[in-house]
Amino acid sequence: MDKVTILSTTDVHGFLTAAANGENGLCSLPAIAEKYHEPILIDNGDFLVGSPETTFFNTTMAISPLIELANTIGFDVMVPGNHDFDYGIDFLKRQVAAFNGQYLCANVLDLADELIFEPYTIIERGELKVGVIGVITGAMPQITDYDQIKDLKFINVLESLNRWVPLVREQVDVLIVSYHGGIERDMDTGQPTQYDTGEDQTYRIISEIVGIDGVVCGHQHRINAGIVNNTAFVQPGYRGNYIGELTFSIQENQVTDKKAQLISTEKVTPASYSLYDQSDYKKWLEKKLDLSCFPQYLAKKVPGTFYAVNVKGTTIGSFLSSFRPPYTLSTYHVSQSELKELLLRQPIEGLTIVNGQLIPDQSSYRVTTNEPIFPSYRLETNYIYNLFDEYIAWINMNQYRNEVKQDEATT
């Protein structure tokens, strides 16, 4: 009887540790991998974008040092997450070119209907053949800025898997789907746990697609593991706090046993990696940030409100400290009298008081802010946007597009 193990991470977001003051996380993976015989290592997306350090890497370096880290750890497969497209497809292609493993995604096409990345790979471990198909949530147009993905088509995940699973299944002993999307139903009862927007479809994949032995999912920063419909699945959290394990026993070309579990990295000794010069990072934080486009960015991100966003300074570091997770922005719905009271203490762009009258004159107002300036009973919406990275990526993309236009104009 032969065995093969797949170890997976998801939604690392460039964090080397699972907690701010901890040491364990992604860098604990090598120590875990040593306990298995030639495990296959998969990262399930959102590896390159999401921490302040990744913003530094992605705006100052052609190749992120996280790619070097992925190569050093020895990832066999990576798939893209939604945030890995935040700096545009040219950025992502450049990172992929430096990755030593296979970068997979079967449902992302260019406008000519050509695949951007390889849809699958077949990895041999001894006499066993393991197929891995990569897919990303088909809801990308709903959750990603149009300008970042306007040259791409994101095909329905189920449609893509219905095409590729039969083709790969006949070539392999074990078939894995690495899906950067989440879980939409209770995996035991099948009852919906959220509205079906198409963003998260793990339950449907397992229930409707025949021939899959295991699924790695993610996206929601949650932890799950189990076996449903004879398919093993793992959803290994966030920031490397857990490693997903899928282990399969094979006899006479048939999977006879399968296991799905999560391994906490909390007490696993991490390897030590030096990715960048801390002094360069600190100097970068002290640089002045172009905030001239921030009002335009806010209007696009949270349209239809007034804005009382307090940025603490003009440097990259002060911008970072202005938005504290998890809720970086909040929208309040307030009355005229409540808004007048606030305006006596601080200005709000687009609002003034003339002869005791609010201009513009409305029965109520929505105000978006990064501070609790109104009572909690007036809170309408909290936002978990990563404004720091998103805004800097946004202005970086705009600058890149302007440079391309200038080059085109001179040729």
Side-chain angles (χ1 to χ4, degrees):
M1 182 181 294
D2 294 314
K3 277 190 177 183
V4 64
T5 294
I6 293 90
L7 299 177
S8 58
T9 56
T10 192
D11 297 273
V12 169
H13 288 289
F15 290 101
L16 301 188
T17 60
N21 297 317
E23 296 181 349
N24 309 89
L26 172 66
C27 297
S28 301
L29 176 56
I32 293 172
E34 284 180 359
K35 299 178 181 179
Y36 299 86
H37 177 65
E38 295 186 331
I40 294 171
L41 305 186
I42 298 177
D43 180 77
N44 191 53
D46 277 356
F47 187 83
L48 295 168
V49 177
S51 68
E53 288 81 4
T54 64
T55 310
F56 167 59
F57 301 155
N58 298 339
T59 58
T60 64
M61 307 175 191
I63 303 298
S64 170
L66 290 169
I67 292 294
E68 180 183 346
L69 176 61
N71 290 335
T72 302
I73 289 175
F75 277 104
D76 298 282
V77 171
M78 302 183 83
V79 303
N82 52 299
H83 287 293
D84 293 320
F85 289 88
D86 282 359
Y87 288 83
I89 189 60
D90 289 342
F91 161 83
L92 185 53
K93 285 181 177 179
R94 190 166 64 247
Q95 309 312 308
V96 170
F99 175 51
N100 292 340
Q102 295 294 315
Y103 203 87
L104 307 177
C105 197
N107 66 322
V108 180
L109 310 178
D110 63 21
L111 299 184
D113 291 329
E114 296 293 330
L115 283 164
I116 301 292
F117 305 112
E118 291 297 319
Y120 71 92
T121 189
I122 296 175
I123 299 171
E124 296 187 5
R125 288 292 188 265
E127 295 183 357
L128 296 179
K129 292 183 177 181
V130 180
V132 183
I133 302 173
V135 282
I136 187 174
T137 173
M140 285 290 286
Q142 302 171 35
I143 62 176
T144 304
D145 188 83
Y146 168 78
D147 287 335
Q148 294 162 348
I149 58 171
K150 63 183 180 182
D151 296 324
L152 305 172
K153 296 180 182 180
F154 293 85
I155 307 304
N156 179 277
V157 169
L158 294 165
E159 177 185 329
S160 297
L161 290 176
N162 273 318
R163 175 188 177 188
W164 292 105
V165 167
L167 188 150
V168 181
R169 176 76 267 179
E170 64 183 15
Q171 304 177 63
V172 300
D173 301 293
V174 177
L175 178 54
I176 305 297
V177 169
S178 185
Y179 165 56
H180 191 86
I183 296 173
E184 77 280 26
R185 290 176 179 265
D186 184 292
M187 296 300 279
D188 293 323
T189 67
Q191 293 299 307
T193 54
Q194 61 190 49
Y195 291 113
D196 185 7
T197 64
E199 184 173 350
D200 305 303
Q201 296 183 304
T202 299
Y203 190 88
R204 284 194 66 187
I205 290 170
I206 290 175
S207 300
E208 298 180 20
I209 309 293
V210 177
I212 301 171
D213 294 304
V215 174
V216 180
C217 63
H219 188 51
Q220 296 164 311
H221 300 184
R222 300 173 186 168
I223 55 172
N224 279 288
I227 298 176
V228 171
N229 197 29
N230 202 33
T231 303
F233 70 93
V234 288
Q235 186 180 34
Y238 166 62
R239 287 183 64 160
N241 57 346
Y242 286 87
I243 304 300
E245 179 202 335
L246 297 172
T247 295
F248 301 90
S249 299
I250 298 94
Q251 189 168 15
E252 296 180 356
N253 300 320
Q254 296 292 321
V255 175
T256 58
D257 188 40
K258 55 191 65 174
K259 180 174 72 171
Q261 69 172 356
L262 298 176
I263 304 168
S264 172
T265 60
E266 184 178 2
K267 296 180 180 179
V268 181
T269 302
S272 179
Y273 300 103
S274 179
L275 296 189
Y276 62 100
D277 189 325
Q278 285 279 354
S279 63
D280 288 341
Y281 175 63
K282 290 178 181 178
K283 289 176 184 176
W284 177 75
L285 288 173
E286 293 167 359
K287 284 187 174 181
K288 196 160 187 174
L289 178 64
D290 179 8
L291 294 171
S292 62
C293 297
F294 192 54
Q296 180 185 355
Y297 168 82
L298 279 176
K300 189 172 185 178
K301 199 70 182 173
V302 189
T305 80
F306 296 95
Y307 306 96
V309 177
N310 178 30
V311 178
K312 297 177 180 179
T314 60
T315 67
I316 292 174
S318 60
F319 187 75
L320 172 63
S321 66
S322 299
F323 303 98
R324 290 297 183 189
Y327 303 122
T328 50
L329 289 176
S330 301
T331 296
Y332 294 83
H333 198 165
V334 298
S335 66
Q336 275 205 10
S337 60
E338 289 168 325
L339 189 55
K340 278 184 182 179
E341 185 178 335
L342 177 69
L343 283 172
L344 294 175
R345 302 193 304 271
Q346 71 176 75
I348 297 178
E349 186 176 349
L351 290 168
T352 56
I353 299 178
V354 179
N355 298 324
Q357 180 62 50
L358 263 174
I359 305 297
D361 182 16
Q362 299 176 190
S363 59
S364 64
Y365 301 79
R366 285 182 170 86
V367 180
T368 298
T369 178
N370 59 333
E371 298 176 336
I373 58 177
F374 294 107
S376 60
Y377 55 80
R378 293 302 185 206
L379 177 64
E380 187 172 79
T381 308
N382 276 323
Y383 303 95
I384 58 172
Y385 300 138
N386 181 354
L387 292 186
F388 176 75
D389 182 75
E390 287 187 14
Y391 176 65
I392 295 176
W394 190 68
I395 59 175
N396 194 69
M397 283 286 292
N398 286 341
Q399 183 180 24
Y400 173 75
R401 281 192 290 268
N402 290 335
E403 289 173 354
V404 169
K405 287 180 181 177
Q406 290 174 1
D407 289 343
E408 290 174 348
T410 58
T411 56

